[in-house]
Amino acid sequence: MNPDISRERENASFNLEILTNILDGGAEKTRRRREIESLVISDPDFQHEDLNFLSRSERYDAAVRKSAQMILKLREYGISDPEEIYSYKSIAKGVYQEPFGVHYVMFIPTLNSQCTAEQRKKWIPLAESFHMLGTYAQTELGHGTHIRGLETTATYDPSTQEFVLNSPTISSIKWWPGGLGKTSNHAIVLAQLYTQGKCHGLHAFITPIRCMKTHMPLPGVVVGDIGPKFGFDEVDNGYLKLENVRIPRENMLMKYAKVEPDGTYVKPPSDKLTYGTMVFIRSMIVGESARALSKSCTIAIRYSAVRHQSELRPGEPEPQILDYQAQQYKLFPLVATAYAFHFVGQYMSKTYHRISGDINQGDFSELPELHALSAGLKAFTTWVANAGIEVCRMSCGGHGYSRCSSLPDIYVTFTPTCTYEGENTVMMLQTARYLVKSYKQARAGQQLTGIVSYLNEPQSRIQPHSVSSRPTVVNINDLASLVEAYKFRAAKLVEMAAKNLQAELQHSKSNEDAWNNNSIDLVRASDAHCHYVVVKLFAAKLSEIGDTAVHSVLSTLALLYALHGVALSSGDFLQAGLLTVPQLAQISQRLKGLLSELRPNAVALVDAFDYRDEMLNSTLGRYDGNVYEHMFEWAKRSPLNHTEVHESHHKYLKPLRSKL
Amino acid sequence: MNPDISRERENASFNLEILTNILDGGAEKTRRRREIESLVISDPDFQHEDLNFLSRSERYDAAVRKSAQMILKLREYGISDPEEIYSYKSIAKGVYQEPFGVHYVMFIPTLNSQCTAEQRKKWIPLAESFHMLGTYAQTELGHGTHIRGLETTATYDPSTQEFVLNSPTISSIKWWPGGLGKTSNHAIVLAQLYTQGKCHGLHAFITPIRCMKTHMPLPGVVVGDIGPKFGFDEVDNGYLKLENVRIPRENMLMKYAKVEPDGTYVKPPSDKLTYGTMVFIRSMIVGESARALSKSCTIAIRYSAVRHQSELRPGEPEPQILDYQAQQYKLFPLVATAYAFHFVGQYMSKTYHRISGDINQGDFSELPELHALSAGLKAFTTWVANAGIEVCRMSCGGHGYSRCSSLPDIYVTFTPTCTYEGENTVMMLQTARYLVKSYKQARAGQQLTGIVSYLNEPQSRIQPHSVSSRPTVVNINDLASLVEAYKFRAAKLVEMAAKNLQAELQHSKSNEDAWNNNSIDLVRASDAHCHYVVVKLFAAKLSEIGDTAVHSVLSTLALLYALHGVALSSGDFLQAGLLTVPQLAQISQRLKGLLSELRPNAVALVDAFDYRDEMLNSTLGRYDGNVYEHMFEWAKRSPLNHTEVHESHHKYLKPLRSKL
């Protein structure tokens, strides 16, 4: 054990285990999580070469092998609870992905939710025994989130009772679905349904794409890998071009809409249930933001504790870089953010499960708020975490660029969350739509419920600079007062966006133009709303914590999170009259004080995230702090070191010399 | 040609060629640049498979081949002007790097500047004929910018007149030098010199590491590749462990310091000249920031012109995503930033060359300011460009994640500039040191010269809220007034940092502690100073432009750049009393207006950067806008598509099914 990092741990002011239990949601959950982790980590079948040393084809190969093993292991251990499966897999996968991901996350759930009873009976056993390996083919080369724009067609032919699937243009080629390129033999294809000469919009069709015996592409199917990406090397995101591919009528998922044998189209009753799945996935991503950021912070903080650099005082040894204020200012607010997002993730998951119960009983009343919240928070947390991972990486100096730090892999694996499951700006605008609607309802005297109820409060309709009409400006040492300030800032920005929208309507040709011409304000309002929710939930979490020492350190973190946000957006708070200019200087000083207060607990705060070395897969983030020995060992395994002299020397350098 | 993008070009309000000439520094330079580009682009020897499809070893192989070819071609064409060589190489390399980079940029220049005449005579011909291929080995596994901390030793043995080189610890292993792993047969090793029982600090030693005949590592030399990184796959950054490696006394670079045969150490006179090289490289990086960002903007803007998505008005076709305000707000300020940085890069290069002339005549007076400016601007521009590239990438939706967009490669190739040649935070603090020193001189009544002379102005020492003492708050429609506002903001933040430093000195144990405890304020002051310089130089450039139409569009861009920065840091401007709260709302509205004004020229503004398709290497950024066809063609070449059925299917999936 590196003595620097041991000393850090001795200095912690709180009991680590208590904090870890809070993060897990209870001591029993911690115990079970560790049990599952040990199953994977001690399993020789999951030992493999670092994927960074492999070619893309080898990585894909290793990932398929791992996926197949996970299936067998989960059965062997009898792990069937979805949360435990998720946990098992995330350890086994590490920072990498599995080509079967979409099979589990989209293909089987879609079959379950959109098949008739008869269809389910036919397809589910095939999917669960992996004879069918499926993907979900929605996005096209030229079309993303706007589903009405999708071009793939499924035309019903009553003479044979088949659908004929076509990709009529280059831009209609299905593009991006995970596992589509090489792994899947079926795809749920989203296509515009034509029957009896009419288009009935997007519907889902189970489409065989490869032979279940030979795995060769079927006639009329052009399928392949879309090529290398920024990360996700081990996944075969694919393309699919359909040329008059015929499938039986029964392959349309018919739980809701139907096409009868003669081609008569029967409308679906409602689509609210699919809406629920989307909300669930976005809520999960909030938790992913916390995980990606907490892993990155763990690596950066531990490394900063063992890394010595430059000198603070002449003649003294080089200090730990964690002692530099500039380093603390980069990393401690991110640790606070990781905690904040973790608690928000817990809240979203709990809320989703509560509301799901209501939905199953036909009560959809809370769904719109959760929908709006999950969209905005998905965008807010992924953007912040995305930038934060890079700050962590760059805080490690040169070594943060080495793949052995794991930080590049964490980044490339996480960054797509900013785009998939709803592009972030689109998400922010969805939340804004809900906020503006709520604001108008409040103005019309309606009593709002839930998180947006603050839009009812009279303080939210104050004019700029009317500080006197508010009880007081913020108390920068009081978290409750800061939560209020975030609330008023959000209210102010929602009001500004709504008013600008109203004003714009007088010049614009349409509602849609007015909306577009105020997108900047709308995104800003959503962002402030989400920021308020995060600060509020972090503060609320504190009241649940009994242990004094843990409460104390988390309170300091929460205050840091809140004040750091105020400092970054000080213009907003000044504009809303929530802050005075002299307070800005006080906040700067207070922030420095908070960094010093947190310094002794920095390592313990990331240790509490409880990532085992095998999960971080980072030489810089090692628990024992023995960074350099392991970097050297890792480097020796680089493929370029397999031979002492690379063949290019003989091929190019020797001839070059002879020509000069 | 895609009709959308043709229409964009027809709508441009200015003559593209005039703007391109301004960017190049004159019509003749444009002509010559294009001539050189054509040499590379039409050369069949530089046609090769997309490196994204190759394994790391194949990429390295391709890069060595290309490096060897470039050497022959440059001789063949007789290109010898350093700027033209730079230009030729940057086209041939594309977004990739060459393993010989350090040989040119550091090895040969160091030999030239630090060899005695006799040494030069011996080594230079070997280096220029590539019999010696060299690298510059300074950083160690445990040591970066702080050169006093380096541990490698060179101990003089007078009995054999040799130096004995050693890596005494794991942390002393040389780490990161480009081309060290496999390519180089010599390294300039920076080591602590010991002679006659005394350490004389860091000196440079020419160390043979591989046999010049067999290329095998020499006895006592442990050398290899440090493993995969975030980008730079084609470069063999290496490690070097020296175990009692003996080199002749003459291998120490002795132009300045010397060790005599008996071991007597002779001190160097001065080290100011090496200081100049560092300034030069940092100045060059400012230009790199402009290039990386302008390439990214070109790709994102062109793609936004051909990409259609969602609907603005019900029933109408999907609009170009460039028509969304949120998209404009992401991209247009970055286009403005790319222009700003380009002009700053021109200024830095011109200033460097002017000052170099003075230095050669023994006048070092302007060097400290240029040193401070190059450090700060290197950090300021690389951080902004780094984040900006990712904004461009994410503005392309899913396709920005594909390697065919080139945006991931631009990012991973550029991001190290934030760390190498001086870690950015360290750079900001160096600039801050100069600013605080200048501020103190100004307070002491000294008349400052150069860019910091604003610290002499009385307005820089105003108190918060004393708006009345200033002629007026900013006029948000007047660039000159905005330049003034940026100046006062910088002055205010420099003053705050200096005062906080002064106050801290009363509690701190030492100057160094006080400095560290104010790093946040100091970095912020540097940042504001650099931001002021950028706005000022952009505004200054406008006065050189004669063409009315070009002047008009660049003025709009400059105003956008300045106002966007004010909006992002509005707290600073409010705090300094340079802005009133009602003006904030006016700025928001004005920004929206500027986006609309720039919209018709968006494509033309990026076209003017004049990157040929071969240089962008991006399907999304194609000049002809025919994005989707080429994405499909590119994807088909993915290595995973070399076989229809991947072997993993037979190896893992078939057995899995039989086990379930």
Side-chain angles (χ1 to χ4, degrees), chain A residues 51-125:
Chain A
L51 294 196
N52 280 308
F53 295 143
L54 306 181
S55 73
R56 174 129 193 263
S57 179
E58 291 165 338
R59 285 175 80 140
Y60 171 69
D61 191 279
V64 173
R65 182 171 75 92
K66 203 187 262 191
S67 290
Q69 276 167 346
M70 284 196 290
I71 292 160
L72 295 171
K73 300 278 175 181
L74 288 167
R75 301 215 174 184
E76 182 186 333
Y77 296 129
I79 296 174
S80 60
D81 174 74
E83 276 189 34
E84 294 200 341
I85 291 176
Y86 181 85
S87 168
Y88 184 93
K89 286 190 166 188
S90 64
I91 303 149
K93 288 187 298 183
V95 290
Y96 302 106
Q97 299 299 316
E98 62 164 340
F100 293 14
V102 180
H103 181 76
Y104 295 108
V105 180
M106 293 296 291
F107 187 72
I108 294 183
T110 305
L111 292 183
N112 272 319
S113 64
Q114 296 187 42
C115 278
T116 62
E118 212 171 331
Q119 287 177 318
R120 211 166 21 232
K121 211 169 129 193
K122 175 176 176 190
W123 302 113
I124 295 287

Side-chain angles (χ1 to χ4, degrees), chain B residues 450-466:
Chain B
I451 284 180
V452 291
S453 59
Y454 67 86
L455 296 171
N456 278 121
E457 297 182 31
Q459 294 92 328
S460 72
R461 290 199 290 278
I462 45 101
Q463 295 306 309
H465 265 177
S466 60

Side-chain angles (χ1 to χ4, degrees), chain B residues 12-15 18-19 22 336 339 343 477 479 538-539 541-561 590 593-594 597-601 605:
Chain B
S13 70
F14 64 92
N15 181 327
I18 296 175
L19 183 48
I22 292 168
Y339 273 92
F343 298 137
N477 290 304
L479 190 58
F538 199 165
K541 188 75 193 179
L542 295 178
S543 65
E544 297 174 20
I545 295 166
D547 183 84
T548 317
V550 169
H551 189 276
S552 165
V553 70
L554 283 187
S555 301
T556 310
L557 270 187
L559 193 58
L560 177 68
Y561 180 76
R590 188 76 180 96
L594 291 171
E597 282 176 46
L598 286 167
R599 170 67 188 81
N601 281 317
L605 280 167

Side-chain angles (χ1 to χ4, degrees), chain B residues 391-402:
Chain B
V391 171
C392 288
R393 183 176 65 73
M394 293 202 261
S395 79
C396 295
H399 296 339
Y401 295 84
S402 171

